[in-house]
Amino acid sequence: MARKQNVIIIGAGLFGSIAAARCRLLGHNVTVVADQRPAMASLASGCVIAPSWLSSLSAPDIATAMGVLSAMYKVHDITFTTNVLGRPFKAQRVDLKSVLVQPDVIGKVISASAGVVKLEDGRTLRGKTLVSTGYWAEELVSEMPKVRGLWGASVSFKTSGQTPKLNVYAPYRQAVMFQSEKNRAWMGDGSALVTKTWDKESIQRMSATVERGRAMLSDPRATAITTAGVRPYVEGYKRGYFQQIDSSTWVSTGGAKNGTVLAALQAAYFTEALR
Ligand SMILES: Cc1cc2nc3c(=O)[nH]c(=O)nc-3n(C[C@H](O)[C@H](O)[C@H](O)COP(=O)(O)OP(=O)(O)OC[C@H]3O[C@@H](n4cnc5c(N)ncnc54)[C@H](O)[C@@H]3O)c2cc1C
């Protein structure tokens, strides 16, 4: 059992939330601080765990990450019917709402170093610190590789009884849909765009995605809510980027399209580092 520590987690996306939950499970005293900026990636996530996304991880890393997830959340098996593969596609997922934690402190952090976290409004927090601020990690940690942000969006349709579907609609392009809540189906098509392209093409691209979803639902008038977010990519770090910065500060990001599993893996690294 790890020694009980005061822990500050900056960011309340998948990375911050899973790390916070695991730290709490292990008895640490945790404060989550976040400013909940609109483009945070996690609000758009389907929390799907696709077998192909695990290929960059070793068997022990997969076991660690899945162990962390299943100790704290319900991991659902999900079987998609497909329009081309000729056989069902099997994956797993967790419920986003069961994972995301509410920040204990809402505010923008301007610096985090040597166990001292300073907020824009003048508040100061102290403790072992995890910077899990997604695409924006570099703003607080200058000594790290560049974080590239790729925009994506998912669509939530008001509907019930939707069976999981995976539709290939162009070479290497596929849309997935499943019932995420009682009256909601989540749909993602993997779009990933750099910011300047996102500005120009996003509206056109998203209306095509919404129409594709309505076709999958066979409901041309289904009400849709689109959520956009910036996925964090750290070049050369397919397992995500986890690094100790100083005696009391760690950084954890780089979830890319595989945020659920990588957040769980890095939560395990962080709690191990607190020992
Ligand atoms: C459309 C879409 C679909 C996706 N689907 C899946 C999927 O099905 N399965 C999967 O595994 N992954 C999926 N992903 C990827 C996954 O969502 C990301 O990898 C993951 O959400 C990244 O989480 P994060 O916590 O690092 O960052 P974020 O979710 O961006 O969270 C960053 C947090 O840090 C806070 N923050 C940032 N800077 C500061 C600051 N200075 N002070 C205070 N707070 C700050 C933000 O407010 C936020 O709370 C998807 C992504 C998108 C966009």
Side-chain angles (χ1 to χ4, degrees):
M1 168 68 77
R3 194 160 48 92
K4 192 172 168 179
Q5 310 258 18
N6 279 334
V7 176
I8 313 296
I9 301 217
I10 311 172
L14 290 175
F15 278 62
S17 295
I18 295 176
R22 183 165 165 83
C23 285
R24 285 178 175 142
L25 189 72
L26 297 178
H28 298 298
N29 179 24
V30 178
T31 304
V32 177
V33 53
D35 61 5
Q36 302 303 70
R37 50 191 71 192
M40 63 186 276
S42 302
L43 294 179
S45 177
C47 292
V48 173
I49 301 161
S52 59
W53 296 346
L54 303 180
S55 58
S56 59
L57 300 179
S58 66
D61 278 351
I62 294 171
T64 299
M66 295 311 293
V68 166
L69 291 175
S70 53
M72 298 191 297
Y73 316 105
K74 170 132 186 59
V75 179
H76 304 267
D77 289 323
I78 181 164
T79 303
F80 295 93
T81 57
T82 67
N83 64 341
V84 291
L85 296 179
R87 61 187 149 77
F89 172 79
K90 289 180 188 294
Q92 290 178 300
R93 70 174 190 89
V94 291
D95 287 318
L96 178 66
K97 283 193 171 165
S98 72
V99 175
L100 292 186
V101 301
Q102 289 304 313
D104 304 292
V105 176
I106 296 197
K108 181 175 179 182
V109 173
I110 53 168
S111 70
S113 144
V116 181
V117 173
K118 291 189 175 158
L119 278 80
E120 196 176 48
D121 61 13
R123 284 179 286 180
T124 298
L125 305 168
R126 286 172 206 280
K128 301 281 182 188
T129 306
L130 184 69
V131 178
S132 43
T133 49
Y135 167 58
W136 301 276
E138 269 177 292
E139 287 176 14
L140 297 177
V141 179
S142 49
E143 54 283 74
M144 69 174 286
K146 179 157 183 50
V147 189
R148 195 161 159 251
L150 291 182
W151 282 84
S154 60
V155 186
S156 170
F157 289 99
K158 191 172 178 196
T159 189
S160 58
Q162 180 56 34
T163 53
K165 281 186 184 164
L166 182 155
N167 270 21
V168 176
Y169 61 87
Y172 305 107
R173 302 301 307 270
Q174 56 202 27
V176 295
M177 182 184 277
F178 58 86
Q179 196 76 39
S180 53
E181 297 172 46
K182 197 164 167 235
N183 294 315
R184 288 264 157 214
W186 183 94
M187 180 207 178
D189 69 359
S191 302
L193 296 172
V194 294
T195 300
K196 62 181 193 298
T197 322
W198 177 255
D199 289 343
K200 289 188 201 142
E201 294 176 10
S202 56
I203 294 167
Q204 196 185 355
R205 182 83 76 116
M206 281 323 296
S207 47
T209 300
V210 170
E211 288 316 316
R212 206 170 286 127
R214 287 184 172 138
M216 286 167 89
L217 285 168
S218 306
D219 180 354
R221 281 193 292 277
T223 313
I225 299 170
T226 301
T227 307
V230 187
R231 298 184 187 97
Y233 288 76
V234 183
E235 207 128 315
Y237 291 85
K238 286 197 167 169
R239 297 162 57 193
Y241 184 77
F242 178 83
Q243 203 58 243
Q244 182 161 10
I245 303 305
D246 61 37
S247 61
S248 296
T249 315
W250 290 259
V251 61
S252 172
T253 183
K257 288 193 175 182
N258 194 15
T260 312
V261 164
L262 294 181
L265 181 61
Q266 296 193 17
Y269 292 163
F270 181 54
T271 47
E272 190 57 33
L274 289 175
R275 279 173 186 275

